[in-house]
Amino acid sequence: MNVKSSFIYARRLLFPKTGTRSQARMSIIGSIICIALSVIPLVSVTMVSDAMFDGMTERLIALSSSHIQAVLSRSSSLVKDYDTFTEYARGFKNIEGVTDSFAEIDCDALSSSRNFRTGSKIRAVERRLFEENEDFKKLLKVSDGDISSFSSGRNTCIIGEKISETLGITSGDSIRLITTSRVKSFKVCAVVSSGYQELDALWIFIPLDEAFGFLASKNCLHSIFLKAQSSEIKYLMRLQDEIDFQYAGRVRLYRWDEANAGQFENFSSTKIMLTFIMMLIVLISSINISSALVMLVMERRKEIAILKSLGAKPRGITLSFLITGGFCGLAGTLIALPVGIVLSLNINSLVRIAEKAVNFFPLLISRMNGNSISEIHLMDPAYYLQDIPVRVEPLKIMGTCLFVIILSVVVSILPSIKAGKERPLDTFRKV
């Protein structure tokens, strides 16, 4: 029995000509459906998880830590006044590989409105930041007010959506910032969001020139954020060494992966856990293929005995059942692949539909009782991005499909070997 014969017999196992109802064949169809149902979420996770975590990473780098953060000593003479600090920051642009630099002072404070108070993080930034930094223009969404007035107004500030909701203030309202040294009121000119609330929940931007005299140096962090030509770690390590050589002892340098080590470890572990769970589901579903082949071997014992009596080798019979198991995995994957891609590309619309469905009855009951309840958000921006990014990566999708097919063949090995070891005489005695 050659390879061609094994393929022919595998086709007969999958598509028998007889019209007799077969429990084994029904089990094979069921295993194909199970594989398809388990591969759909695996494909979706492959397309969504990397894009989502890359979106979070992009925001952390672009809006929070930049590629390299140079921290100055609080007692340094370079941070005593605005002109000296900004002039020193601009000097970093002369280093090859640094595309831009921005001075910033960070300080924790208490912010209050007429009725509420909350903790906040003051970010005193250069007025040009929102106009000249392309990352800020691209990633920060203005939900209320006019961000352009920040560059020219006096005592103006920009706040995040979370603080806006907590304090109950919008653009045009005043907010009081309370630090260890002074209390000062600012007028909110705009409310912004990065789309990732865990990042911007406490941010309040004020002009850097107005921070001197308001924020006490001993309680603040004076930094210069450097944008580089590339975010690759190896490239930044070389650039970090170059800056450290030129500015030895005057600044402490932190790459984006060092400044955000905790967040990135969390992202990586979450992504690995998601993929592991999805693969575990596929593994459990693939066991159905093994049980279906066991039933098929029991149902076709007479055929196997006849074939072996006519000279079929055990390895030929084994190969036929391996092909059958591999076909089940391939068929399930081919069914799931387009469905998973379509669902992933429309995942934002599907999430919004699911949110409406989940909130429909609770909101209806609350209105009938005259009560008010908060809506349930499946993609809460406090923990995720507001919109789920999707990225189609053919190589990763092909790798996922190949994994499923190989797994289907692996779980088919034991029942296939058992089929090859069937003894014709034992089978004929029982007939």
Side-chain angles (χ1 to χ4, degrees):
M1 190 174 185
N2 55 27
V3 175
K4 182 179 179 181
S5 302
S6 297
F7 272 96
I8 293 172
Y9 183 53
R11 187 179 65 181
R12 288 290 303 274
L13 293 173
L14 291 164
F15 308 105
K17 294 182 179 180
T18 177
T20 307
R21 184 179 179 85
S22 170
Q23 289 296 328
R25 190 161 179 266
M26 295 298 294
S27 296
I28 287 176
I29 294 173
S31 66
I32 292 174
I33 294 172
C34 288
I35 288 291
L37 292 176
S38 63
V39 171
I40 289 172
L42 182 59
V43 171
S44 298
V45 166
T46 302
M47 293 178 61
V48 170
S49 62
D50 284 344
M52 175 171 283
F53 293 130
D54 286 349
M56 294 177 181
T57 301
E58 180 186 18
R59 283 160 174 78
L60 282 170
I61 296 173
L63 304 178
S64 180
S65 65
S66 197
H67 292 113
I68 295 178
Q69 181 180 0
V71 180
L72 283 74
S73 172
R74 294 183 176 94
S75 59
S76 173
S77 60
L78 298 169
V79 299
K80 296 301 182 183
D81 61 81
Y82 171 77
D83 292 331
T84 304
F85 187 29
T86 53
E87 185 66 29
Y88 185 71
R90 280 192 285 271
F92 283 84
K93 290 194 289 185
N94 298 324
I95 299 174
E96 185 179 356
V98 176
T99 58
D100 209 345
S101 60
F102 295 91
E104 181 175 324
I105 300 176
D106 297 329
C107 181
D108 294 328
L110 183 67
S111 54
S112 69
S113 61
R114 290 183 178 180
N115 302 314
F116 303 99
R117 290 184 178 183
T118 185
S120 59
K121 178 182 178 181
I122 297 176
R123 296 185 61 181
V125 298
E126 297 183 55
R127 292 179 182 270
R128 67 187 180 94
L129 179 68
F130 293 94
E131 295 180 351
E132 298 182 13
N133 191 311
E134 295 298 326
D135 293 326
F136 271 70
K137 292 197 294 186
K138 180 179 72 172
L139 298 174
L140 277 183
K141 174 186 175 184
V142 181
S143 57
D144 182 40
D146 182 12
I147 205 169
S148 61
S149 58
F150 180 82
S151 60
S152 57
R154 291 286 302 171
N155 294 333
T156 58
C157 71
I158 296 172
I159 65 175
E161 279 188 352
K162 179 62 177 178
I163 286 185
S164 174
E165 294 171 4
T166 303
L167 299 181
I169 57 178
T170 58
S171 62
D173 295 335
S174 294
I175 182 173
R176 286 201 309 164
L177 301 182
I178 305 168
T179 66
T180 55
S181 57
R182 282 189 60 185
V183 177
K184 189 173 182 179
S185 293
F186 288 83
K187 183 179 179 181
V188 178
C189 65
V191 179
V192 298
S193 171
S194 68
Y196 181 35
Q197 197 176 94
E198 187 174 333
L199 179 64
D200 61 29
L202 302 178
W203 285 353
I204 296 179
F205 295 96
I206 66 171
L208 181 62
D209 56 323
E210 296 184 16
F212 289 89
F214 167 50
L215 301 178
S217 296
K218 61 181 180 180
N219 299 320
C220 298
L221 183 68
H222 298 77
S223 304
I224 299 171
F225 292 99
L226 309 177
K227 290 184 63 178
Q229 295 176 351
S230 172
S231 60
E232 292 183 3
I233 302 300
K234 290 183 178 180
Y235 178 83
L236 292 179
M237 289 177 68
R238 292 194 296 269
L239 183 59
Q240 185 180 22
D241 291 339
E242 175 65 23
I243 297 172
D244 192 44
F245 176 76
Q246 294 190 31
Y247 292 83
R250 284 176 284 176
V251 293
R252 299 192 309 275
L253 300 172
Y254 301 94
R255 298 187 310 273
W256 63 263
D257 59 311
E258 296 173 329
N260 303 289
Q263 289 94 327
F264 293 121
E265 286 179 7
N266 182 39
F267 292 164
S268 298
S269 60
T270 302
K271 183 165 64 175
I272 291 170
M273 184 59 65
L274 278 173
T275 305
F276 174 75
I277 291 172
M278 293 300 105
M279 288 185 172
L280 193 62
I281 292 172
V282 173
L283 176 61
I284 294 171
S285 299
S286 65
I287 294 174
N288 290 320
I289 297 176
S290 182
S291 60
L293 289 180
V294 170
M295 292 183 64
L296 189 61
V297 170
M298 294 175 63
E299 193 176 86
R300 299 299 182 98
R301 291 183 70 182
K302 189 184 296 185
E303 286 185 7
I304 295 170
I306 293 172
L307 287 171
K308 296 191 77 173
S309 299
L310 294 174
K313 300 294 184 181
R315 63 174 178 269
I317 301 296
T318 299
L319 181 59
S320 295
F321 281 88
L322 283 175
I323 293 169
T324 303
F327 176 84
C328 292
L330 177 62
T333 302
L334 292 177
I335 293 170
L337 188 58
V339 176
I341 292 174
V342 170
L343 290 178
S344 299
L345 293 175
N346 296 279
I347 192 167
N348 287 297
S349 300
L350 293 173
V351 168
R352 292 187 181 94
I353 292 171
E355 283 182 348
K356 290 180 180 179
V358 168
N359 288 299
F360 178 76
F361 288 105
L363 290 174
L364 182 63
I365 294 172
S366 66
R367 288 173 183 172
M368 291 173 62
N369 296 331
N371 301 324
S372 61
I373 62 171
S374 58
E375 294 186 6
I376 299 171
H377 296 285
L378 299 180
M379 292 301 297
D380 194 330
Y383 310 104
Y384 307 101
L385 296 178
Q386 286 179 334
D387 293 312
I388 304 173
V390 180
R391 186 171 61 216
V392 180
E393 296 187 26
L395 289 178
K396 285 191 175 182
I397 293 174
M398 289 173 62
T400 301
C401 296
L402 186 61
F403 164 78
V404 175
I405 295 170
I406 292 173
L407 183 61
S408 301
V409 174
V410 170
V411 298
S412 304
I413 291 175
L414 289 179
S416 300
I417 292 175
K418 183 181 178 181
K421 290 183 177 180
E422 285 288 332
R423 297 181 179 179
L425 290 177
D426 293 341
T427 303
F428 290 139
R429 285 195 189 106
K430 295 176 183 179
V431 177

